[in-house]
Amino acid sequence: GSDSITQVSEESGTAGQAITVRNSPDSLAITPDGRTAYVTNPADDTVTPVEIATNTPGRPIPVGKDPAGIAITPDGTTAFVANSASGTITPITIATNVPGRSIPVGRDPTAIAITPDGATVYVTNSVSDTVTPVTVAPDRPQSPIAVGTDPDAIAITPDGQSLFVANGGSDSVTPITVATRAPREEIKVGIQPTGLAISNTQPTPTLLVVD
């Protein structure tokens, strides 16, 4: 509502000065080196890079219509943006902030997760009730994976072996085996799950669901 992002000190819990980006910022991702945040702006179809050390916003990067989720490859070279109204994702080269050719996926893509090796991008398609795997370099969409109704969040285990998808319309989470891209039996959770996170605890990571 403020068209801005705000840094919050983890140590003190205090908020810093708001950083103006573009219209209706929705999601953000931070490069692995911690230098730059990339913020999606659905109202004007752009992504704003923000230099974290100086709180300086850069030139907005044009992407597809209504950009929603965003994720950055583990090597920090590319950001992938889900364009929910275009049915595509757009890669952005981090070194130059230049967008690449949009890649078709399913209807209403909203969330993105990238495997730890950076080889595959997984995109939830909330209207198609699928997840589309996209191989990286070259960026090619693969056969969609059927999941539950209205998938809207996605996360990958730290070892890259399993993928979990929150299905807001069927009150469930779908586990997917990454090696085979085969969905397993749905896990019933609370009403309309909207977010997922996986801990790094070893040997058994914990899946947390917002519902």
Side-chain angles (χ1 to χ4, degrees):
S2 300
D3 298 338
S4 65
I5 64 171
T6 302
Q7 284 197 36
V8 178
S9 169
E10 188 175 355
E11 293 183 359
S12 65
T14 57
Q17 184 175 356
I19 306 161
T20 300
V21 286
R22 300 287 287 187
N23 297 333
S24 303
D26 181 81
S27 299
L28 62 80
I30 297 174
T31 53
D33 62 11
R35 294 181 178 179
T36 310
Y38 285 80
V39 186
T40 60
N41 307 302
D44 65 357
D45 305 334
T46 63
V47 170
T48 300
V50 177
E51 184 179 326
I52 291 175
T54 62
N55 290 346
T56 304
R59 184 187 300 274
I61 304 163
V63 289
K65 293 182 179 180
D66 199 10
I70 184 169
I72 296 173
T73 53
D75 64 5
T77 61
T78 308
F80 286 88
V81 182
N83 307 306
S84 60
S86 298
T88 63
I89 63 172
T90 299
I92 297 171
T93 301
I94 297 293
T96 60
N97 285 338
V98 173
R101 180 185 301 176
S102 292
I103 305 159
V105 287
R107 295 177 62 193
D108 196 12
T110 54
I112 294 181
I114 302 173
T115 52
D117 62 6
T120 309
V121 175
Y122 287 87
V123 187
T124 60
N125 306 302
S126 62
V127 173
S128 300
D129 300 337
T130 60
V131 170
T132 299
V134 177
T135 56
V136 176
D139 298 331
R140 292 178 179 173
Q142 307 299 316
S143 298
I145 303 165
V147 291
T149 304
D150 192 17
D152 197 38
I154 191 167
I156 296 176
T157 53
D159 61 10
Q161 294 183 9
S162 293
L163 182 71
F164 291 87
V165 181
N167 307 303
S170 52
D171 303 338
S172 66
V173 171
T174 300
I176 298 170
T177 301
V178 170
T180 60
R181 295 179 181 164
R184 305 194 296 271
E185 184 177 355
E186 288 187 15
I187 304 165
K188 283 296 181 181
V189 291
I191 297 172
Q192 294 182 339
T194 58
L196 291 174
I198 298 174
S199 74
N200 287 319
T201 53
Q202 297 299 328
T204 306
T206 300
L207 173 68
L208 304 175
V209 183
V210 178
D211 52 29

